[in-house]
Amino acid sequence: MRVDLKHIRENPGGVLPFEYEMDLSGIEKSAPNPVKVSGRIVNRAGVLLLDMTIGTDLSLVCDRCAMPINRDKSVRYEAVIAESVEDEETDDIIVCGEDYLELDGFAADAFILGLDSKNLCREDCKGLCQICGNDLNESECGCVTDDIDPRLEKLKQLLK
Ligand SMILES: [Zn+2]
Ligand SMILES: [Zn+2]
């Protein structure tokens, strides 16, 4: 979505709220549903501050047992919108000299960066048996899968 910066720039103390939905299903497979973006741009003493929340209902699979999980995820993103900046290394400054700002790219980047790298159906998910594939959350299969300490494993190989 494109927001008009011209008027808010000229209006110290002004607030520009926005709310819309975007589609990230093409770039993020865990986000097949519409992604809601809502927030506002505030002119605080001539400085434009952007504050937005990007959220959706994610379709994930558990990293351990592969069970589908639906999980609400929302990511907050705050930045200063500056017309020019000397230190472009800074993450939370959006440099925009135009009269309008296209929010989608910033919202999408912030959301994808904010996604969890690990997804579990529950904290103590036991996962699948590495031998028979049984879901260990549902039943014990009796396979001897006691996780072998990798250091012991190495020692065993050395002893051979
Ligand atoms: Zn699981
Ligand atoms: Zn098993």
Side-chain angles (χ1 to χ4, degrees):
M1 182 170 115
R2 195 181 255 211
V3 288
D4 177 6
L5 295 182
K6 194 171 184 325
H7 294 97
I8 187 86
R9 273 200 184 110
E10 292 163 355
N11 180 18
V15 178
L16 174 65
F18 55 85
E19 187 168 358
Y20 70 102
E21 289 185 345
M22 64 179 176
D23 176 15
L24 290 187
S25 59
I27 54 171
E28 176 52 50
K29 66 177 169 35
S30 69
N33 302 310
V35 175
K36 293 195 180 80
V37 183
S38 64
R40 55 192 200 154
I41 294 169
V42 178
N43 182 331
R44 190 169 295 157
V47 178
L48 295 189
L49 305 173
L50 166 69
D51 179 358
M52 62 180 169
T53 301
I54 309 107
T56 190
D57 186 18
L58 293 176
S59 292
L60 302 161
V61 287
C62 174
D63 290 339
R64 286 191 198 144
C65 73
M67 183 160 78
I69 323 167
N70 286 320
R71 187 165 287 166
D72 274 335
K73 176 74 187 178
S74 72
V75 172
R76 178 114 181 253
Y77 177 73
E78 293 173 288
V80 171
I81 303 170
E83 290 185 63
S84 64
V85 73
E86 281 158 30
D87 179 13
E88 294 191 17
E89 303 269 309
T90 316
D91 262 342
D92 48 5
I93 294 187
I94 295 173
V95 183
C96 178
E98 309 289 324
D99 285 343
Y100 59 86
L101 175 67
E102 193 62 66
L103 285 176
D104 291 13
F106 297 102
D109 286 353
F111 185 69
I112 288 168
L113 275 176
L115 292 177
D116 302 305
S117 55
K118 203 169 180 193
N119 296 292
L120 297 178
C121 61
R122 57 181 210 227
E123 252 339 286
D124 62 347
C125 172
K126 296 189 186 111
L128 303 178
C129 170
Q130 287 174 20
I131 294 176
C132 71
N134 174 53
D135 186 340
L136 296 171
N137 296 308
E138 289 179 4
S139 61
E140 295 284 332
C141 51
C143 301
V144 183
T145 57
D146 286 6
D147 279 354
I148 297 162
D149 187 316
R151 284 163 303 181
L152 285 180
E153 181 67 12
K154 213 165 211 165
L155 191 67
K156 241 162 105 186
Q157 279 170 7
L158 286 175
L159 289 174
K160 264 181 203 166

